[in-house]
Amino acid sequence: MSTRMTIEVDGRRASYLTAGERGPVVLLLHGTYWSRVWEPVLDRLAAAGLRPVAVDLPGLGRSEGELTAETATVPALAAWVGRFAAAFGVDGPLAVAGHDIGGGIAQHVLAGGVAKVSRLALVNAVMYDSWPVPAVARYRDPAVVAATTVEDLLAARRKAVTTALARPAGEGEIAEYLDPWTDPRVARSWMALAGAADSRYTLDLVPALRADETPKLLVWGDADTFQEVRHAERFAAEMPNTRLVRVPGAGHIPMENDPEGVAAALAGFFSGVSPSV
């Protein structure tokens, strides 16, 4: 069973979900959601001999702190991930997977020189100029942020989560996903993350990624309407040592639609075995 734990980074508690006690550490990064997106695959990854660590970025999920316009950028969060890995005691190159904007952060950890990366997996992640989507980009406007209440944000996130799940979901499950945003501090942090979303952070990495031979895996729900599979197809065609694994019929959070298939692809990749779904 997965367990929630904390560790201190920059003087504040960083929360993370993990499973297993041994094996190579795999850092799992979220984006506009939180560590909950990784929960369906954690036990399966641990059963494959890995130690998955799904961290909540500062100010988000269950982690302490509050993001600002400066600390919510992809480069700033990638630097924070490097500090988290050091505090966690990861020895050697990082194995990293990123979902949504977490995929942009993961790309920056690799291509931005934050840390040595052994393997990089991107799951329905932002890339090139695929982001921010309009529902996120609207928070670039300070007037929108100032006028948005916690209740407004919860309503917007409910719509996003319901769409992203791409399957029927009960009220209890949706409430579980939404719970962190009931805290005004987390709501403000999320709007800072949304306001800082800028495709230049991934576009600027393209030359370095094209020259990089690090093994890369794309796992993609091919029915995603937020990050369409065409972006992954382009990335797989342009970036060396990259393989795309489609998850048929899955939405933006394929871990929720096919946890066994996604876990098998990730476990095989991070264990050095060819992935398949």
Side-chain angles (χ1 to χ4, degrees):
M1 296 289 291
S2 61
T3 303
R4 183 163 293 280
M5 305 181 72
T6 63
I7 190 172
E8 187 172 299
V9 181
D10 299 339
R12 297 186 181 275
R13 285 183 297 174
S15 178
Y16 62 93
L17 281 171
T18 190
E21 298 179 355
R22 299 183 179 85
V25 171
V26 178
L27 294 183
L28 305 173
L29 309 179
H30 69 84
T32 55
Y33 300 83
W34 57 299
S35 58
R36 172 64 178 79
V37 296
W38 295 107
E39 191 171 21
V41 301
L42 293 180
D43 289 342
R44 292 175 172 88
L45 293 177
L50 300 169
R51 188 181 179 192
V53 176
V55 62
D56 283 327
L57 296 170
L60 299 171
R62 307 299 188 197
S63 285
E64 291 185 339
E66 183 172 335
L67 291 175
T68 66
E70 293 73 28
T71 60
T73 66
V74 161
L77 291 172
W80 184 90
V81 168
R83 296 194 297 275
F84 173 86
F88 196 82
V90 178
D91 185 20
L94 304 180
V96 184
H99 173 253
D100 190 83
I101 291 178
I105 296 167
Q107 290 170 61
H108 204 280
V109 171
L110 169 64
V114 172
K116 178 71 174 176
V117 172
S118 59
R119 287 177 177 260
L120 173 69
L122 302 175
V123 181
N124 289 74
V126 304
M127 52 185 53
Y128 298 113
D129 61 352
S130 72
W131 66 299
V133 299
V136 172
R138 65 189 302 266
Y139 294 96
R140 288 176 170 179
D141 184 346
V144 170
V145 173
T148 300
T149 65
V150 169
E151 290 72 23
D152 293 334
L153 184 60
L154 283 169
R157 297 311 295 156
R158 173 181 287 272
K159 182 178 179 181
V161 167
T162 302
T163 302
L165 287 173
R167 58 164 173 73
E171 180 57 33
E173 182 179 18
I174 294 173
E176 181 183 357
Y177 259 100
L178 296 179
D179 184 67
W181 294 302
T182 61
D183 182 339
R185 172 186 61 84
V186 177
R188 291 192 300 268
S189 287
W190 188 90
M191 287 190 285
L193 177 72
D198 193 326
S199 61
R200 67 189 168 94
Y201 294 127
T202 43
L203 287 169
D204 288 350
L205 297 175
V206 169
L209 288 168
R210 284 176 176 156
D212 184 83
E213 295 289 341
T214 302
K216 304 171 192 70
L217 174 69
L218 309 181
V219 179
W220 226 266
D222 65 8
D224 187 3
T225 57
F226 294 117
Q227 293 299 317
E228 297 176 2
V229 71
R230 62 188 175 89
H231 301 296
E233 291 169 341
R234 177 186 171 189
F235 193 100
E238 292 187 2
M239 306 307 172
N241 212 5
T242 300
R243 178 173 177 178
L244 169 61
V245 174
R246 296 169 179 263
V247 186
H252 187 57
I253 311 175
M255 295 77 77
E256 293 282 7
N257 303 117
D258 186 3
E260 291 185 2
V262 173
L266 292 173
F269 175 68
F270 287 114
S271 300
V273 180
S274 296
S276 63
V277 169

